[in-house]
Amino acid sequence: PATTGSLVLEAEMIKEHEFWFQQWASSKVSVAAAVWRASYDLSAVPAGWVRGKSQTITVTVTNTGNTSWTAGGYYRVDLDFHFTTVTGGSSKQAYWLTSKAYSLPASLAPGNSVTLTLSVVAPTTAGSMYLEAEMIKEHKFWFAQYRSVPVKVA
């Protein structure tokens, strides 16, 4: 439920459209707020790029929250890579030179990681900038965590 904290979960059987059974059971439960968190290992991202050319990179993403990430559907969770001149994640979208979302191969439970091998295209703009990773729950929100690595595009 949307309510968090200590609650009581009750179970009771019903013969639909006829009657409720007299027996029921309850259990005290604790409901935590959904936490959408991620960490990124970008240690394999190359520092040098060529304008407009793609490179294959490997990135490991870990679900550090308490909610499973769904890999399919309208509200799936994707990994976005963007080249930017100013770091700060989605709050700095005005500085993004490129952006592309990549699908996860499968849903990811809390505490689990996935390593992706992706083809990423450099922007056509040359210069010093950052390649930034950030998760997005499509059509809902960007995760607050992002990770940037400095790169040079020639």
Side-chain angles (χ1 to χ4, degrees):
T3 304
T4 60
S6 295
L7 302 173
V8 176
L9 177 65
E10 292 183 344
E12 186 174 0
M13 298 294 292
I14 184 174
K15 180 146 179 20
E16 201 63 51
H17 305 292
E18 291 190 35
F19 62 89
W20 289 87
F21 287 62
Q22 296 301 312
Q23 302 79 21
W24 56 275
S26 65
S27 178
K28 291 183 181 183
V29 296
S30 179
V31 178
V35 176
W36 298 88
R37 290 187 55 81
S39 66
Y40 313 91
D41 178 358
L42 303 181
S43 59
V45 171
W49 293 74
V50 176
R51 291 184 297 165
K53 300 293 182 184
S54 66
Q55 287 198 70
T56 300
I57 66 169
T58 301
V59 58
T60 299
V61 179
T62 303
N63 179 346
T64 58
N66 67 0
T67 305
S68 288
W69 300 348
T70 307
Y74 190 71
Y75 297 114
R76 70 191 174 276
V77 174
D78 288 334
L79 169 62
D80 188 89
F81 266 105
H82 39 269
F83 284 88
T84 181
T85 56
V86 176
T87 62
S90 58
S91 68
K92 302 293 184 183
Q93 277 183 340
Y95 300 95
W96 292 5
L97 303 171
T98 65
S99 175
K100 182 172 178 176
Y102 297 87
S103 299
L104 298 177
S107 295
L108 195 62
N112 289 327
S113 299
V114 62
T115 299
L116 302 165
T117 301
L118 308 170
S119 178
V120 177
V121 178
T124 56
T125 305
S128 295
M129 59 192 71
Y130 303 90
L131 180 59
E132 195 166 68
E134 186 174 11
M135 301 305 291
I136 180 172
K137 182 163 177 66
E138 295 291 354
H139 311 284
K140 291 278 194 168
F141 56 84
W142 290 90
F143 285 33
Q145 306 76 40
Y146 59 89
R147 171 84 188 206
S148 305
V149 291
V151 295
K152 177 116 177 150
V153 178

